[in-house]
Amino acid sequence: MTEATPLEGTPLIVPSSTDHPLYEGLVEACRTVYDPEIPVNIYDLGLIYTIDVNEENDVNVLMSLTAPGCPVAGEMPGWVAEAIEPMAGVKTVNVELVWEPPWGMEMMSDEARLELGFM
């Protein structure tokens, strides 16, 4: 059985609402959450795939983990929600774990690679 091939030009990761006024603050909130096993925040690790904000300021975050067997898999989405919920203007927060595309080291920011000794 073959897997369906995504249409060419279809993004593997849903685009974020980068033009929304809350976006930069949401990124900073995500940067306050750390993977307990890695001394880098989850945003710079590339674990936050999508930050989507609608007109009512409902925030939907799609995130992954470095590995499906991560010991904090059940807790980390709650940590992200707890970081975002107190922000002024945020109405609701939904954080969802996704496994496609799988996380890879190429998703890390240059700062994260440098801090972890990969550059």
Side-chain angles (χ1 to χ4, degrees), residues 4-56:
T5 307
L7 296 173
E8 190 170 327
T10 302
L12 292 175
I13 297 174
V14 178
S16 292
S17 304
T18 55
D19 56 346
H20 194 283
L22 289 176
Y23 180 77
E24 290 302 321
L26 294 167
V27 167
E28 289 310 310
C30 289
R31 282 193 167 120
T32 68
V33 180
Y34 283 76
D35 182 317
E37 298 178 342
I38 305 170
V40 174
N41 71 72
I42 63 169
Y43 187 85
D44 288 329
L45 272 178
L47 296 179
I48 300 294
Y49 285 2
T50 304
I51 300 173
D52 182 49
V53 190
N54 68 15
E55 300 81 33
E56 288 81 41

Side-chain angles (χ1 to χ4, degrees), residues 29-30 32-34 42 48 61 63 65 72-86 93-97:
C30 289
T32 68
V33 180
Y34 283 76
I42 63 169
I48 300 294
V61 177
M63 68 172 292
L65 300 172
V72 294
E75 299 171 56
M76 201 172 296
W79 298 344
V80 173
E82 287 171 9
I84 292 173
E85 284 168 347
V93 180
N94 177 53
V95 181
E96 183 181 341
L97 274 179

